[in-house]
Amino acid sequence: MTSRTPRPRERGIPEATVARLPLYLRALHGLSERGTPTVSSEELASVAGVNSAKLRKDLSHLGSYGTRGVGYDVEYLIYQISRELGLTQDWSVAITGAGNLGRALANYGGFGTRGFRIAALLDADPAMVGHEVAGLQVRHIDTLEDVVAKENVSICVIATPAAAAQGVCDRFVGAGVTSILNFAPMVLNVPDHVDVRKVDLSIELQILAFHEQRKAGGDKGPEWVGALDQ
Amino acid sequence: MTSRTPRPRERGIPEATVARLPLYLRALHGLSERGTPTVSSEELASVAGVNSAKLRKDLSHLGSYGTRGVGYDVEYLIYQISRELGLTQDWSVAITGAGNLGRALANYGGFGTRGFRIAALLDADPAMVGHEVAGLQVRHIDTLEDVVAKENVSICVIATPAAAAQGVCDRFVGAGVTSILNFAPMVLNVPDHVDVRKVDLSIELQILAFHEQRKAGGDKGPEWVGALDQ
DNA sequence: TCCACTTTGTGCGTGCATTCACAAGGGCGT
DNA sequence: ACGCCCTTGTGAATGCACGCACAAAGTGGA
């Protein structure tokens, strides 16, 4: 048995915890800007919108950085979480697709603030090349491999139409990118060593619609079900 | 025993399943456009990027819509999933924030295609009001309550700066909206009966950075790499 | 020094999600 | 009609996530 070893064990930090660390980090930055020196798990959890026990368990995966009876030192915790997330170094990000979404992402302040630098904005449309967006000149998609190599890009964002996404993805992977944030409404096919995270606007809406229908419909089958049935 | 239970349609679909139904639906639409009449769980799972056993269990929550030895009828399954998600009716959606992101969302084709209609695009900036975006005139935020009432909006999208998000959220909730899709980088405070889904671009990047750092090996931080087993 | 108070870190029970593996069921060729 | 082969639907096992509740640990006051 033991056909194959599944994972190299993520240093013991659960995926669910990793997904919440950025939330805590944001809350801590808010406290830091207000000059708060320390914070209890109860307060921080409240700001971050989670259960305090969950927060303590999450933080315990990083180490024992709190002080019993006092709480957590805000600045120190910011540093520890930043380090764990890999934000103490700068990551070069390449965005593909200079359409509405791509431009919105390039202009999104949250990217540039801490840990991330937009190295390039690429597009396949020659008419778009050369336009300035968020202080960047749009470059042609053919320079993709150059950009990845020269700017040392390891994270890319795909904001192209669905039809172009897989092709762009393949080129990024071929160029050595191993982390992809995909906004195109489709499933990307990548090798095992590449991480893909998906942001899908219409899926989110459909999930909301499901719950909305349930709230409106309530207990019994809605009348239009019978009318439309087959 | 064949038709004695016409609709087992059991209420109580797991949340994880609901989140995947839109994925299946999209895959099925692709198959439908290619004229595929039936599909096996193995094929559909492959297209949707999930495990086939998981897909079958997901679909089994909707009812027994497959045929053993054959698979699932594509059109019929599209209808069943659409109905379950509440997409056989149209939902009016109001988008707040006509900045880069709001305009990108308004122009996003995926919204209008099936089940969703953008009823209004709102903004607080008087200079923005009246501009046409995606065939819609931007309206002032003060008309929010009017729009919600007249257009029967039950789902709203918040694409404002973080500082304005909670205020806009409160107004929507006060006007009767019970489902919110939040793009602002902050935690919204809402009553229990309101559903909020969060799309946070910088959080996704930070999660990628974490895994990217891990892949880069222990060459960066302290080397407690395999030592956290307890 | 000692005690009371505060807050962390975690053992543990519960419930959900995932995956395996297979019996039940249906089509199709002979 | 019959049996083979295919695929669904699901019991069962495993693992993960969450949250309660409490002991451990550190602070501050007397």
Side-chain angles (χ1 to χ4, degrees):
Chain A
M1 53 195 321
T2 65
S3 49
R4 53 195 164 187
T5 318
R7 292 280 163 84
R9 267 305 156 226
E10 296 175 318
R11 268 208 278 184
I13 299 184
E15 190 57 32
T17 294
V18 172
R20 282 187 294 267
L21 288 181
L23 220 55
Y24 306 152
L25 192 54
R26 176 176 297 151
L28 286 165
H29 276 128
L31 292 170
S32 172
E33 280 165 18
R34 277 200 291 283
T36 312
T38 64
V39 65
S40 72
S41 64
E42 202 69 50
E43 294 170 295
L44 185 55
S46 167
V47 176
V50 302
N51 179 297
S52 70
K54 180 153 58 179
L55 183 139
R56 286 197 300 276
K57 186 157 288 186
D58 283 344
L59 294 185
S60 77
H61 286 112
L62 311 188
S64 288
Y65 296 142
T67 305
R68 297 175 193 233
V70 175
Y72 300 89
D73 182 279
V74 171
E75 299 303 326
Y76 187 57
L77 196 51
I78 285 177
Y79 169 70
Q80 290 298 344
I81 294 179
S82 295
R83 187 172 58 80
E84 198 64 43
L85 287 174
L87 304 180
T88 48
Q89 59 184 296
D90 266 8
W91 298 95
S92 289
V93 177
I95 299 177
T96 309
N100 282 296
L101 183 55
R103 289 198 300 270
L105 296 176
N107 279 299
Y108 181 50
F111 279 15
T113 46
R114 274 177 284 262
F116 300 97
R117 185 182 68 89
I118 300 183
L121 180 55
L122 305 170
D123 200 286
D125 182 3
M128 188 66 76
V129 172
H131 279 81
E132 187 168 319
V133 175
L136 277 170
Q137 283 216 342
V138 177
R139 304 179 59 172
H140 193 269
I141 187 77
D142 282 350
T143 65
L144 186 151
E145 284 79 7
D146 274 352
V147 166
V148 170
K150 287 220 186 74
E151 305 280 355
N152 200 26
V153 170
S154 48
I155 301 177
C156 76
V157 177
I158 295 181
T160 66
Q166 184 65 59
V168 169
C169 170
D170 291 344
R171 288 184 67 178
F172 270 119
V173 171
V177 169
T178 49
S179 292
I180 298 174
L181 182 52
N182 179 35
F183 286 85
M186 66 167 304
V187 177
L188 289 180
N189 209 339
V190 296
D192 284 347
H193 68 282
V194 176
D195 277 330
V196 176
R197 292 194 68 86
K198 179 169 57 76
V199 175
D200 197 310
L201 316 180
S202 66
I203 283 185
E204 298 298 326
L205 270 193
Q206 289 176 33
I207 296 171
L208 282 177
F210 172 84
H211 293 293
E212 191 64 29
Q213 175 183 243
R214 176 155 299 185
K215 275 183 276 191
D219 30 47
K220 59 176 169 46
E223 58 283 358
W224 49 266
V225 167
L228 285 179
D229 198 1
Q230 285 292 38
Chain B
M1 199 70 181
T2 49
S3 59
R4 212 157 293 172
T5 51
R7 250 173 283 282
R9 203 171 347 105
E10 178 181 328
R11 296 304 182 192
I13 299 180
E15 191 57 32
T17 295
V18 172
R20 282 186 296 265
L21 288 181
L23 219 55
Y24 305 152
L25 192 53
R26 175 176 297 152
L28 286 165
H29 276 129
L31 292 170
S32 172
E33 281 165 18
R34 277 200 291 283
T36 312
T38 63
V39 65
S40 71
S41 65
E42 202 68 49
E43 293 170 297
L44 184 53
S46 166
V47 177
V50 302
N51 179 297
S52 72
K54 180 153 58 177
L55 183 140
R56 286 197 300 276
K57 184 151 285 186
D58 282 344
L59 294 185
S60 77
H61 286 112
L62 312 188
S64 287
Y65 296 140
T67 305
R68 294 172 195 239
V70 176
Y72 300 89
D73 181 280
V74 171
E75 299 303 325
Y76 187 55
L77 196 51
I78 286 177
Y79 167 70
Q80 291 297 345
I81 294 179
S82 295
R83 185 171 59 79
E84 198 64 44
L85 287 173
L87 304 180
T88 48
Q89 61 184 294
D90 265 8
W91 298 96
S92 289
V93 177
I95 299 176
T96 309
N100 282 296
L101 183 55
R103 289 198 300 270
L105 297 175
N107 278 299
Y108 180 51
F111 279 16
T113 48
R114 276 177 283 261
F116 299 97
R117 185 182 67 87
I118 300 184
L121 181 55
L122 305 170
D123 201 286
D125 182 2
M128 187 67 74
V129 173
H131 280 80
E132 186 168 319
V133 175
L136 278 169
Q137 283 216 341
V138 177
R139 303 179 60 172
H140 193 270
I141 187 77
D142 282 349
T143 65
L144 186 151
E145 285 79 7
D146 275 353
V147 167
V148 170
K150 287 221 185 73
E151 305 279 355
N152 200 26
V153 170
S154 48
I155 301 177
C156 76
V157 177
I158 295 181
T160 66
Q166 184 65 59
V168 169
C169 170
D170 291 344
R171 287 184 66 177
F172 271 118
V173 170
V177 169
T178 49
S179 292
I180 298 174
L181 182 53
N182 179 35
F183 286 85
M186 67 167 302
V187 177
L188 289 180
N189 209 340
V190 297
D192 284 347
H193 68 283
V194 176
D195 277 329
V196 176
R197 292 193 68 86
K198 179 169 56 77
V199 175
D200 196 309
L201 316 180
S202 66
I203 284 185
E204 297 299 325
L205 270 194
Q206 289 176 33
I207 295 172
L208 281 177
F210 172 83
H211 293 294
E212 191 62 30
Q213 183 189 41
R214 228 185 76 244
K215 276 183 280 193
D219 58 1
K220 191 80 181 169
E223 49 288 317
W224 53 319
V225 180
L228 204 66
D229 265 2
Q230 296 197 6

